[in-house]
Structures are given as structure tokens and as C-alpha cells.
Amino acid sequence: MKNLLIAAFIILTVQFSVLAQDEPQAVLIDEFGKICSEDVSARYDHFMIELQNQPDAQGYVFVTGEYAQDGTNLLYESFFSTIYPNRRGFDKTRITIVRMPDADARQTSFWLVPSGAEVPLPEKSVETKDKNPVKRFQRTSAFIEKYPDSDEQYPKDEFVNGFYHLGCDFAPNLSVFAEELLKDENLTGYLIIYADKKQSKKINKLANKILTKTHKVPKNRLKTIYGKPQEEPEIELWFVPKGEKPPVPTTK
């Protein structure tokens, strides 16, 4: 009798193990830190191919920005959710982007989640509301100096979509900045420019031209502040609700 019970227990254990192994599991397809745009695009193409090969699966992309470059997580979110799938004609409904809080280092991971598998949700995603009403969206290097006068000369695919600048030199992400402004009429967009007098005027002219003409932001929704001149031009983009004080220029 004892031997029969032991045998039955072993059979049940084996059957349970086989069933557990048969349950679908989420698969980490790729994970990377700060890399250049060509590499990002190639990895994302591979991820899309994996999804196409499994029609019942969903794709999850977890994006973590970095403290040193405000707005990187928004730029990546826009690139992974809209810009690149549109270019490739891929079904965007099969990809879910989860934007994480900023950290010391940039990090992106691609997950393939078969039907019935548990989604590998992180412990905490980005907060939807910020206690501080005056919010800095981004501070980054300003425009390339060889294209200071006209957005007609600037390589639009690289600048507006952030394609070239996605993983290497990080350019101002005016497309997402404009998108957030247009969502909330209570917000005013502030540009703080750190450059010498001549460069500051050129940067301001170009940024305002792209925001108003390309992204249709009303002129009265934009304000410019000139910060302390510095050798490497930089720009800060701010959201300021009505009735709140404007941001104050700072130095690094």
C-alpha cells in the first residue's frame, strides 16, 4: 500500500511538472541601454519579426529614461509606439509601451507575451501626475550649428522624429512637447535657451517656427527666456499652468 501511494505521488508530481512546463511564458527578446539609433531600429525590427511569427502574442516594451537627459523616456515612447511602427506598416495594437520613471541609466527591454502568459509588469511605472505644477519636460543640447537658420535645411526625419538622435546625440523633442501642450489648453510652453546672444536668437527662431508651423502650436502659448550664455548651446522645455510663475533659468 505504501509503495502504491509513493508511486501515485511520483506520477502526480511528474504530471504537474509537465503541465507547468506547458503553460505559456513571457519571453525577453532583447534588452539594452544607451545605443545609437541604427542599432535601436535593427533590434526593434527583429522584435517585430518575432511578433509577426507568433500572431497570438502581444509585444511589451518597457522604457526607462535617465535623469541626465530629461524627456528621453517620452522620446522613446513616441518612437516605439507610433513613429517606427508607422514606417514599417506594423499593427500598433499589438505593442504596449510601458514608460518607467527616470533612473541613473537609460534602459529598454522587449518582451514577447504569448496568449495566456502572464505579463511581466514591473513594480512601478511612471507616475501620471506630478505634484509640482511647473514641470520641466527636457533639457538637452540645442540645434546642430550647421542648421541654425531654417528648418527647411534641417534633416526633418532626424530632428522631428528623433531618429538619428535617439541613442547618440539627444536633440530637442519638440514633437512630443507640442503634443502635450495641445492636449491641455491650461498650459503655456516655455523655452529657456542657454547660448550666446547670436545663437540664442537663431535657436529661438527655429524652435518657434517648428512648434507653430509644423506642430500647429498657437504663438500665444509659447514664451522664451534667455539663460546664462554658455559655450555649448542648450535648451530647456517647460510646461507651466496658467497662474503659475514662469521657470527660472539655471546653470549646470
Side-chain angles (χ1 to χ4, degrees), residues 2-3 9 11-12 17 20-21 23-24 46 59 69 73 77 79 101 108 111 126 139 154 161 182 196-197 222 224 237:
K2 183 178 180 181
N3 290 337
F9 175 77
I11 292 171
L12 287 173
S17 298
Q21 290 174 357
E23 291 180 0
H46 173 69
Q69 293 183 319
N73 54 1
E77 181 182 39
F79 181 80
T108 302
W111 286 84
V126 71
R139 176 168 181 160
Y154 202 94
N161 290 338
L182 294 173
D196 63 37
K197 187 175 182 180
L222 298 170
T224 300
L237 307 175

Side-chain angles (χ1 to χ4, degrees), residues 39-184:
D39 198 1
V40 173
S41 300
R43 289 168 182 258
Y44 203 35
D45 277 334
H46 173 69
F47 181 52
M48 290 181 183
I49 291 171
E50 292 289 337
L51 276 173
Q52 287 173 332
N53 290 337
Q54 297 196 39
D56 294 333
Q58 286 291 119
Y60 280 79
V61 179
F62 296 98
V63 180
T64 299
E66 58 183 306
Y67 294 126
Q69 293 183 319
D70 300 305
T72 51
N73 54 1
L74 288 171
L75 174 59
Y76 269 62
E77 181 182 39
S78 176
F79 181 80
F80 289 133
S81 64
T82 305
I83 296 166
Y84 210 65
N86 283 346
R87 288 179 180 177
R88 291 293 191 255
F90 189 79
D91 183 1
K92 294 181 291 186
T93 64
R94 297 190 60 201
I95 300 175
T96 299
I97 313 297
V98 181
R99 182 157 51 87
M100 303 293 293
D102 285 350
D104 291 332
R106 194 181 312 172
Q107 190 74 26
T108 302
S109 59
F110 298 150
W111 286 84
L112 189 149
V113 183
S115 178
E118 185 177 348
V119 179
L121 290 175
E123 293 182 1
K124 183 181 179 183
S125 58
V126 71
E127 297 293 338
T128 56
K129 293 184 179 180
D130 197 296
K131 293 181 180 179
N132 183 5
V134 180
K135 178 68 175 176
R136 186 176 75 170
F137 165 65
Q138 180 185 358
R139 176 168 181 160
T140 185
S141 297
F143 304 84
I144 296 175
E145 291 185 36
K146 64 189 273 191
Y147 301 110
D149 295 316
S150 170
D151 60 323
E152 296 301 322
Q153 295 177 325
Y154 202 94
K156 286 185 173 57
D157 281 347
E158 296 182 10
F159 174 72
V160 177
N161 290 338
F163 180 69
Y164 175 80
H165 299 287
L166 196 63
C168 299
D169 299 318
F170 189 60
N173 187 17
L174 295 183
S175 58
V176 177
F177 182 64
E179 182 181 332
E180 294 299 317
L181 275 176
L182 294 173
K183 284 180 183 177
D184 188 349

Side-chain angles (χ1 to χ4, degrees), residues 17 44 207-208 212 235 247 251:
S17 298
Y44 203 35
N208 274 273
T212 57
I235 189 170
T251 58

Side-chain angles (χ1 to χ4, degrees), residues 213-232:
K213 291 192 174 182
T214 303
H215 299 296
K216 311 303 180 185
V217 177
K219 291 183 179 180
N220 62 358
R221 301 279 307 280
L222 298 170
K223 306 289 183 182
T224 300
I225 299 174
Y226 295 106
K228 184 177 180 181
Q230 59 186 43
E231 185 175 350
E232 180 184 352

